[in-house]
Amino acid sequence: MRTAYREQMAGLNSVLGSMCELAGGAMERSTQALLQADLAVAEEVITDHEKITSLSVHAEEQAFALLALQAPVASDLRAVVSTFQIVADADRMGALALHVAKVARRRHPAHALPEEVNGYFAEMGRLAVQLAATAREVLNTQDPNDALRLQDDDDAMDDLHRHLFTVLMDREWRHGVAAAVDVTLLGRYYERFADHAVLIGRRVVFQATGKTPEQLVDVGEY
């Protein structure tokens, strides 16, 4: 029974990792569509979003099956329950990438971004892809140390997001209200994408140790 549970749990984490991989790939292509005003790529992201939705349904079905068939207790139950939250986080990452693609499509053939902020979004896109890749890795390895390191890339994303607002608030901003709204929303999409990746890391820490990252720091374990 225990062997069957471990195998099914590993399979479920693999599905969750695949969701993160798809979300990262979607954000990479959405960023490309955004920076290059590439309608074909934006449409591709929008069409492919169904793959993440399907995996989300599949992951939830697997989690319910674990609860029903394996009757997990204590730490095993904690791990299974956490997977429902991870499904929601990974699904939301995919939805945020979708939002970026839809902005690029809505503004086509024009560029949604003023040229002066392209560098910010290129870097935010890179960080988002990196966070998604790390989230996938920690889901497969269940390594709390690697999971905690997701916070470092999130801090870098937060710094970029704050700097972006200094550009928007500059008196020399000359691109109008519509562009400012787009930049604000898009910046928020990238920031939230990173936040959900960090939440996945936090949930992996809890699955592996039964403690929150803050509790681990307080007791000096990490």
Side-chain angles (χ1 to χ4, degrees):
M1 181 71 75
R2 180 71 180 171
T3 300
Y5 164 79
R6 284 198 298 266
E7 290 176 350
Q8 290 178 359
M9 194 66 199
L12 176 53
N13 281 328
S14 179
V15 173
L16 295 173
S18 294
M19 289 181 67
C20 290
E21 181 180 27
L22 286 174
M27 186 58 97
E28 184 174 31
R29 288 178 293 152
S30 292
T31 303
Q32 177 187 342
L34 189 66
L35 296 175
Q36 300 176 9
D38 192 323
L39 181 61
V41 173
E43 293 285 8
E44 184 181 279
V45 172
I46 293 166
T47 300
D48 287 351
H49 182 68
E50 180 61 31
K51 295 177 183 178
I52 297 177
T53 302
S54 296
L55 280 181
S56 178
V57 172
H58 181 50
E60 287 190 344
E61 289 174 347
Q62 283 189 280
F64 278 121
L66 272 170
L67 287 175
L69 301 177
Q70 300 296 338
V73 296
S75 63
D76 293 344
L77 179 62
R78 178 183 70 224
V80 176
V81 171
S82 292
T83 62
F84 288 103
Q85 298 171 307
I86 294 172
V87 170
D89 287 320
D91 188 67
R92 188 60 186 154
M93 287 164 68
L96 289 161
L98 177 66
H99 291 337
V100 174
K102 286 183 174 179
V103 171
R105 181 177 69 174
R106 185 170 66 248
R107 295 303 183 196
H108 184 81
H111 285 74
L113 297 173
E115 187 174 350
E116 66 201 76
V117 299
N118 280 351
Y120 288 94
F121 282 94
E123 181 62 10
M124 291 169 84
R126 186 193 69 79
L127 285 170
V129 173
Q130 185 170 307
L131 281 156
T134 304
R136 181 194 182 189
E137 181 181 344
V138 300
L139 281 164
N140 288 327
T141 65
Q142 294 289 295
D143 188 323
N145 285 300
D146 289 341
L148 288 170
R149 293 191 187 105
L150 279 160
Q151 186 64 52
D152 295 336
D153 286 334
D154 183 53
D155 289 342
M157 182 75 83
D158 288 341
D159 286 342
L160 284 166
H161 191 239
R162 282 192 294 270
H163 290 154
L164 191 60
F165 271 98
T166 66
V167 176
L168 289 173
M169 298 301 292
D170 194 299
R171 291 181 179 180
E172 295 187 7
W173 177 264
R174 59 185 183 280
H175 304 288
V177 174
V181 170
D182 279 345
V183 170
T184 301
L185 286 174
L186 287 163
R188 182 62 172 161
Y189 295 153
Y190 284 89
E191 182 197 32
R192 289 300 297 153
F193 186 99
D195 288 344
H196 283 288
V198 171
L199 284 171
I200 289 173
R202 291 176 63 87
R203 301 193 203 290
V204 169
V205 170
F206 185 68
Q207 282 182 325
T209 69
K211 297 176 182 177
T212 67
E214 291 79 13
Q215 289 172 327
L216 291 177
V217 171
D218 286 343
V219 298
E221 292 189 34
Y222 291 93

